[in-house]
Amino acid sequence: MSNERIGVLVMSYGTPESLDGVEEYYTHIRRGNPPTPELLDELKGRYEAVVGGVFPLRENTNNQVAALQKTLDAAAPGRYVCYQGLKHARPYIEDGVEAMAKDGITKAIGIVLAPHYSMMSVGGYIKRAKEKAGELGVAMSFVESYHLHPKLIEALVDRVVGKLGEFDRSQPIKVLFSAHSLPERIREMGDPYEKQLLETSEAVANKAGVADWSFTWQSAGRTHEPWLGPDILDTLKELADQGMKQVLSAPVGFVSDHLEVLYDLDIEAKAVSADLDIHFERIDMLNTDAFYMEALAESVVDKDEWKA
Ligand SMILES: CC1=C(CCC(=O)O)c2cc3nc(cc4[nH]c(cc5[nH]c(cc1n2)c(C)c5CCC(=O)O)c(CCC(=O)O)c4C)C(CCC(=O)O)=C3C
Ligand SMILES: [Fe+2]
C-alpha cells in the first residue's frame, strides 16, 4: 500500500459568474461563435427569471466537490484529492488537470457530475481531460457512467416516493422522467445515452412501485437540426388530452439545481401545466445527497487501478 495521492477531477457543466459573464459562457457553448443579441437576451432573461441573476449551479458544484472530498476522506483517508474542472466556465477542465500537475499529482481519476454517458456530453468532457493530461504527463482513468449505481437509484427512489406523498393518491399520477435532449443524430452514432436514461428510469420506477411512468426529453438546444423528442411541453399537452391531472417530474439526467431545472421545469413546464389544469410537482435534486456522494465515491474507488 503506497501513500501516494490520487487526483480526482470532478467535472461539471459550469455556469457564468454573473449576468455579465453570460455572453462569454454562451460563446464557449457555441464553440467560439458569439450568440445573436436575441439569443443572448433570451438566455439572460432565463437566468434573471430564476433567482434574479444568481447562478446556483456554481455553489452547488462547489458543495458537491467538497462533499465528495469528505466522503472519499472517510473511505480512504489521505488518498484522494479532488479538483474541479468545468466544461464551459472557469476553472475549465484543462485548468483542473493543470492544477493537479502543479501539485505533483501523476495519477488521477475523472468523473462527471452527470450519471449518463453520451459521446456529446460526458465523452466530450473526458476527451478534453485526456488531452491535457497527456500533455502534462498525468495518467488518468475515467468513470464513464454510474446510471445504475444502487445508491444513485436509492437516492432517486427516496425523492420520488417522498414527492408522491404530496399528490392525491386516490387519483392517477403520471411520473415523467426526463433528461437534456441531444441532437437526433446520436442515434446513428450508437450512443448509449438513451438506453442508460431508460434503464435509470425503469430501475427507479420499479423500486418506487410506480407503474404509470414515461420518459420524455427537455431543454432541447436552439439549433436548426432535429433534437430528440417528445419534448416535455408536448408530453404535458398529450397527457392533458388523455385526462391526466397530476404529474410528478423526475429529471434524472440532472443532479443539481440549475437553469434547466429551475427555469425549464419549475417556471416553463409548471406554467404550461397550470394552463392545462395539471398539478405539476418536481422531485428535489440530488445536490449533496449522502447516497449520491457515496455513489460517486464508490465509482471513483472502483476505478482506482493503482490501489494495493
Ligand atoms: C447533455 C447535456 C446536459 C446534461 C449533462 C451535463 O450536465 O453535462 C446539459 C446540461 C446543462 N446545460 C446547461 C446550460 C446550457 N446548455 C446549452 C446548450 C446545450 N446543452 C447541450 C447538452 C447538455 N447540457 C447541448 C448539446 C447544447 C447545444 C450546444 C452544444 O452543442 O453544446 C445552453 C445554450 C442555450 C440553450 O441552447 O439553451 C445553455 C445555457 C447547464 C447549466 C445551467 C446553469 O447555468 O444553471 C447544464 C447543467
Ligand atoms: Fe446544456
Side-chain angles (χ1 to χ4, degrees):
M1 180 80 187
S2 79
N3 48 17
E4 183 174 27
R5 282 145 57 95
I6 304 293
V8 178
L9 183 67
V10 188
M11 293 176 278
S12 171
Y13 203 84
T15 194
E17 305 262 10
S18 69
L19 275 176
D20 287 339
V22 173
E23 186 166 8
E24 187 190 1
Y25 174 72
Y26 205 172
T27 302
H28 195 274
I29 291 176
R30 294 164 50 88
R31 293 175 191 78
N33 299 308
T36 62
E38 292 74 29
L39 279 172
L40 180 60
D41 281 350
E42 192 260 349
L43 181 57
K44 280 188 173 172
R46 279 192 276 152
Y47 278 112
E48 281 176 308
V50 166
V51 262
V54 176
F55 298 79
L57 181 58
R58 189 163 286 274
E59 202 188 337
N60 286 335
T61 301
N62 292 343
N63 291 342
Q64 285 174 320
V65 175
L68 175 58
Q69 181 70 62
K70 271 198 182 158
T71 310
L72 285 167
D73 284 343
R79 182 162 178 86
Y80 301 103
V81 196
C82 291
Y83 293 82
Q84 206 178 116
L86 306 178
K87 192 175 193 188
H88 295 301
R90 272 174 284 272
Y92 290 109
I93 290 169
E94 292 80 5
D95 300 332
V97 177
E98 208 166 301
M100 296 196 294
K102 268 208 182 109
D103 289 348
I105 284 182
T106 59
K107 300 182 174 87
I109 296 156
I111 190 164
V112 180
L113 296 174
H116 306 88
Y117 183 91
S118 164
M119 296 171 218
M120 287 190 67
S121 62
V122 171
Y125 292 69
I126 293 178
K127 184 163 176 281
R128 281 172 53 189
K130 255 189 192 155
E131 252 167 52
K132 194 69 188 177
E135 253 172 56
L136 298 175
V138 178
M140 280 197 82
S141 61
F142 293 90
V143 176
E144 295 201 326
S145 60
Y146 45 88
H147 69 292
L148 284 176
H149 193 290
K151 287 182 178 167
L152 173 80
I153 301 301
E154 194 159 341
L156 292 169
V157 167
D158 280 354
R159 280 164 169 69
V160 168
V161 169
K163 227 20 168 209
L164 282 173
E166 295 179 21
F167 286 87
D168 176 357
R169 301 300 292 267
S170 71
Q171 296 300 315
I173 308 163
K174 180 73 118 188
V175 175
L176 268 191
F177 295 97
S178 64
H180 202 298
S181 180
L182 281 175
E184 252 175 40
R185 64 189 148 87
I186 66 160
R187 286 197 173 137
E188 291 127 54
M189 296 155 54
D191 199 75
Y193 189 59
E194 272 184 278
K195 179 167 177 276
Q196 291 190 353
L197 282 160
L198 285 172
E199 285 172 349
T200 301
S201 304
E202 187 171 24
V204 172
N206 286 346
K207 278 226 159 169
V210 169
D212 195 4
W213 64 274
S214 64
F215 182 85
T216 190
W217 299 99
Q218 62 166 92
S219 314
R222 278 100 177 131
T223 67
H224 295 297
E225 64 181 327
W227 287 63
L228 295 171
D231 184 82
I232 188 163
L233 302 182
D234 298 322
T235 302
L236 286 167
K237 283 173 199 131
E238 174 112 21
L239 288 173
D241 286 345
Q242 295 163 13
M244 182 60 68
K245 297 276 181 217
Q246 307 190 96
V247 168
L248 174 58
S249 157
V252 293
F254 300 116
V255 298
S256 172
D257 285 302
H258 53 55
L259 193 69
E260 324 292 79
V261 172
L262 301 173
Y263 186 86
D264 296 355
L265 295 176
D266 293 3
I267 296 179
E268 202 175 35
K270 193 148 191 145
V272 167
S273 298
D275 281 346
L276 296 167
D277 198 23
I278 288 175
H279 176 69
F280 178 93
E281 297 284 344
R282 167 178 67 77
I283 63 167
D284 293 335
M285 298 311 287
L286 295 172
N287 294 316
T288 58
D289 176 86
F291 280 130
Y292 178 43
M293 291 302 121
E294 284 172 28
L296 290 173
E298 287 173 17
S299 303
V300 165
V301 173
D302 271 355
K303 270 283 154 187
D304 183 354
E305 58 200 76
W306 306 286
K307 62 179 182 278

